[in-house]
Amino acid sequence: MSQYKLLVKDVLENEHFKSAEVVAGKDGLLRIVKWAHVIEIVQVDNFLAGDELVLTTGISLQHCIEDFIFFVESLIKKNCAALCIEYGTYLQTIPESILSLANQHDFPIIVFHETVPFVRITQDLHSQIMNQQYFMISSLETYSQTLNKNALLGQTVDDILQTLYQALRTQIIFSIKGRDPIFFPNIPTVKRRDLLKMPKSATQFIHEPIFIVDQHYADLTLYRGDGLFSEFELLILDRTATALAQLLMREFYIEEKRDIEDATILAEWIDHKLTKEEIFKFIVSHHSNFTYYSSAVFILSSPYTIMKVQEDIVYSKLYYRNLFEQNGFIPFLFERKSYVIFILLHTKDCKASRELLNTLFSTLKKTDFYKKQLSQGYQLAIGKVVSDVEEIPKSYQTALETLYICGKVQTTSFFYDDLHLYHLIYKLQMQVDLQEVIQDYLQPVIEYDKKHNSKLLETLQVYLQTNGSKQQTAKQLFIVRQTLYHRLKKLESLLGEDFMKGHNRITLEFMLLANSLIEEKK
């Protein structure tokens, strides 16, 4: 008999069950009993929560086989442990259809051939269940104290798994995403493969997810061949998963401290002050077996409005580090002014890395974490994906350009590769007075808008974006067609009748983009 759970087969050992016989559902004797309940009515839905041992004299079942079937089906649906029926005044036999139904669902039906005291049975079983509950709580408290004590002694993941195994003596699987699972105790390779091939939803497993900074980082799994997990095992699993999460968080903070120590080298790297040999020496000192193929720089810009609240910055660094590591990147990071700069290395080529980053950030945009950061004023930028560690400074510079562009205009992407035209404008701005060039083409429209408080420039922009569709333009501007026709007529008088043709249109589109990039935000 288990110290933490009462099974139907254990109940049969009770002294009041000496005259009892299991007439159906013998394969269900390992069901867990959490309570005992006497029921003498057919409608049971409001009286049961599951895992009860139900006792009845059959007073409500004696006249109608349909009621009997409905009663047993309801118990099965409620996941009751078993049905105990006293033979006597009301029932002397169980219909074959009932026995067949019970066998079909491995639902035990137990009959008493002699009169038994239901009150004494419920008292005995409840006392036994409550004693088990008390012992379970006491054991759980002792287990938690052991975990806390070991935490002060600097326990490792293996130490925690060892403690868990000593408590439960069942197979443990610890899986960190992107890494090979740890089996404790270790088992032969063939058996490992067999367990990994089984569906995760199989009843032989119970899983406890481990979240680090709101991300699903790992899973702690128990395996039992019979699939019968007690409440104690579920509680122990939960406590252990919490201890592992705390341990992993401590490791992240240790890495954070190491990052601070590496900050000088990383700064020299992006500033083009390290040789290729020095860069690889640095990488190898952290990841000895790493094979390099591509890299990129990611910048997280914190808002000036909160002036780098340290908790937010640390949490963000942990969040993004975990995000990148979960997707196969090796991140090196440090802070510079209001920026957190990540150098991301990957074993895949540039194209594959770019696709992976795109998928990663597409998913990120749907998270509450990203939406909160966006509302607080954080900005993101990803520089050019490069194939040489010496080109990291180039990726850094392009990330800075991208950050500037995203801060000036509304874009749907913060990837350097998606903003080529804006980067061209940015580089032109460094060489020539773009404002003067823009005025040559758009000045009449800009001055007309200022003088008449009109919206010709906005109308021109939307008209070009919709490829000259009057219907779509009017819809997007929330104006009637007649108003749009009047505005277009005015644009023709200011820009020329052929402003939508050939090079004229291309030039205007370019100038509008340039104007949106260099104009000061109000």
Side-chain angles (χ1 to χ4, degrees):
M1 181 184 297
S2 170
Q3 295 172 308
Y4 308 111
K5 61 186 176 183
L6 182 66
L7 305 179
V8 175
K9 73 179 184 65
D10 301 326
V11 172
L12 293 172
E13 297 175 8
N14 185 282
E15 61 176 319
H16 299 296
F17 281 74
K18 289 179 181 177
S19 68
E21 177 190 0
V22 181
V23 295
K26 293 181 180 179
D27 289 338
L29 295 181
L30 295 180
R31 286 172 177 255
I32 295 173
V33 179
K34 291 186 178 178
W35 205 244
H37 204 12
V38 180
I39 296 181
E40 297 293 4
I41 58 174
V42 176
Q43 299 287 345
V44 299
D45 281 0
N46 296 328
F47 299 95
L48 298 171
D51 299 314
E52 293 95 347
L53 182 81
V54 176
L55 300 106
T56 185
T57 62
I59 188 172
S60 300
L61 309 174
Q62 58 181 321
H63 300 300
C64 180
I65 184 65
E66 285 77 15
D67 284 349
F68 204 155
I69 292 173
F70 177 80
F71 179 70
V72 175
E73 285 178 339
S74 298
L75 298 184
I76 293 171
K77 186 178 178 181
K78 280 288 186 178
N79 197 36
C80 289
L83 171 63
C84 300
I85 301 174
E86 181 184 81
Y87 276 171
T89 306
Y90 308 111
L91 287 176
Q92 292 81 37
T93 184
I94 307 294
E96 189 61 39
S97 58
I98 300 295
L99 298 177
S100 176
L101 175 63
N103 284 325
Q104 182 182 345
H105 294 276
D106 294 331
F107 178 67
I109 294 182
I110 303 166
V111 298
F112 296 105
H113 292 287
E114 298 175 3
T115 301
V116 290
F118 281 1
V119 173
R120 292 293 303 276
I121 290 175
T122 56
Q123 285 179 341
D124 284 359
L125 295 182
H126 290 169
S127 176
Q128 192 173 345
I129 291 168
M130 291 177 74
N131 286 336
Q132 287 179 329
Q133 288 288 318
Y134 175 79
F135 185 74
M136 180 179 71
I137 292 170
S138 176
S139 299
L140 190 62
E141 179 62 25
T142 302
Y143 181 80
S144 297
Q145 289 177 359
T146 301
L147 286 179
N148 292 335
K149 181 180 177 181
N150 290 341
L152 296 174
L153 298 174
Q155 65 184 354
T156 64
V157 169
D158 283 345
D159 294 331
I160 294 177
L161 298 182
Q162 174 72 40
T163 304
L164 175 60
Y165 180 71
Q166 288 174 347
L168 301 183
R169 296 292 172 180
T170 191
Q171 182 63 54
I172 304 161
I173 305 171
F174 179 56
S175 308
I176 294 178
K177 287 190 172 183
R179 305 183 194 175
D180 292 333
I182 298 171
F183 288 79
F184 197 99
N186 201 6
I187 55 176
T189 304
V190 175
K191 192 170 182 182
R192 281 180 176 228
R193 289 200 197 107
D194 291 341
L195 291 182
L196 293 175
K197 285 178 183 177
M198 292 176 65
K200 288 187 176 181
S201 58
T203 56
Q204 292 91 333
F205 295 117
I206 51 171
H207 308 277
E208 187 66 32
I210 296 173
F211 289 88
I212 304 294
V213 289
D214 292 341
Q215 292 186 57
H216 188 179
Y217 185 78
D219 286 288
L220 183 61
T221 302
L222 297 182
Y223 169 81
R224 284 180 61 97
D226 57 17
L228 298 172
F229 294 98
S230 67
E231 186 179 358
F232 178 72
E233 289 167 317
L234 296 175
L235 292 170
I236 286 287
L237 183 66
D238 177 71
R239 296 288 196 284
T240 310
T242 300
L244 284 168
Q246 291 170 344
L247 173 63
L248 293 169
M249 277 298 294
R250 283 200 301 274
E251 290 180 353
F252 277 126
Y253 274 102
I254 290 171
E255 289 184 17
E256 169 74 11
K257 185 178 179 181
R258 187 189 67 185
D259 289 339
I260 295 172
E261 295 171 354
D262 292 339
T264 302
I265 295 176
L266 294 171
E268 290 178 346
W269 187 357
I270 66 167
D271 290 337
H272 227 313
K273 294 179 180 179
L274 295 181
T275 65
K276 197 166 189 175
E277 290 72 19
E278 289 173 327
I279 294 170
F280 274 113
K281 184 179 179 181
F282 172 76
I283 295 172
V284 170
S285 69
H286 289 77
H287 302 278
S288 56
N289 298 320
F290 181 71
T291 304
Y292 173 82
Y293 279 102
S294 63
S295 53
V297 171
F298 164 70
I299 297 179
L300 173 68
S301 174
S302 60
Y304 290 106
T305 52
I306 63 171
M307 292 305 291
K308 289 178 65 176
V309 175
Q310 196 55 33
E311 281 188 13
D312 287 340
I313 297 300
V314 171
Y315 182 86
S316 295
K317 288 197 285 188
L318 292 176
Y319 186 96
Y320 283 108
R321 177 205 290 280
N322 184 34
L323 181 67
F324 292 129
E325 287 183 341
Q326 291 290 297
N327 287 273
F329 289 93
I330 290 180
F332 293 102
L333 62 145
F334 69 103
E335 292 184 57
R336 173 175 279 184
K337 296 181 180 178
S338 62
Y339 299 152
V340 180
I341 300 166
F342 289 76
I343 297 175
L344 306 175
L345 308 182
H346 208 286
T347 56
K348 294 184 178 180
D349 61 26
C350 292
K351 182 181 179 183
S353 291
R354 174 64 176 83
E355 290 173 353
L356 187 57
L357 284 169
N358 188 61
T359 302
L360 187 156
F361 280 97
S362 294
T363 304
L364 175 71
K365 287 180 179 180
K366 301 173 186 176
T367 64
D368 292 336
F369 170 79
Y370 174 77
K371 293 172 184 175
K372 181 182 177 182
Q373 283 210 315
L374 206 62
S375 67
Q376 290 178 334
Y378 281 88
Q379 287 185 293
L380 315 179
I382 300 174
K384 181 180 178 62
V385 180
V386 295
S387 59
D388 192 318
V389 290
E390 286 188 299
E391 289 187 297
I392 284 294
K394 181 178 181 181
S395 183
Y396 172 62
Q397 289 301 322
T398 53
L400 287 176
E401 289 178 20
T402 304
L403 200 63
Y404 170 81
I405 291 167
C406 291
K408 297 291 288 183
V409 296
Q410 269 196 331
T411 64
T412 57
S413 174
F414 35 76
F415 283 87
Y416 166 81
D417 294 338
D418 295 336
L419 304 172
H420 283 309
L421 196 53
Y422 283 114
H423 284 287
L424 176 60
I425 295 169
Y426 177 85
K427 286 178 171 54
L428 280 173
Q429 186 184 356
M430 300 297 106
Q431 304 295 326
V432 300
D433 185 354
L434 263 183
Q435 188 68 55
E436 185 178 329
V437 179
I438 291 168
Q439 287 180 354
D440 288 343
Y441 290 89
L442 298 179
Q443 190 64 21
V445 179
I446 294 172
E447 286 185 353
Y448 186 89
D449 277 349
K450 285 181 180 179
K451 185 177 180 180
H452 298 89
N453 194 27
S454 59
K455 295 184 177 181
L456 288 185
L457 194 68
E458 180 188 11
T459 303
L460 174 62
Q461 190 166 6
V462 175
Y463 192 53
L464 289 166
Q465 288 173 351
T466 59
N467 293 317
S469 169
K470 295 180 176 63
Q471 181 180 357
Q472 288 297 317
T473 303
K475 186 178 179 181
Q476 288 190 34
L477 292 172
F478 300 102
I479 58 176
V480 297
R481 289 279 192 97
Q482 204 59 38
T483 301
L484 176 62
Y485 295 152
H486 174 74
R487 291 185 185 180
L488 293 177
K489 196 71 177 172
K490 195 64 192 174
L491 284 170
E492 286 181 2
S493 68
L494 295 172
L495 300 173
E497 293 183 0
D498 58 350
F499 74 90
M500 284 293 290
K501 295 179 182 178
H503 293 295
N504 292 335
R505 174 177 173 174
I506 295 172
T507 303
L508 285 173
E509 287 179 333
F510 184 82
M511 290 303 153
L512 284 168
L513 284 174
N515 186 60
S516 67
L517 183 60
I518 69 173
E519 70 176 347
E520 293 296 325
K521 285 189 174 180
K522 295 181 181 179

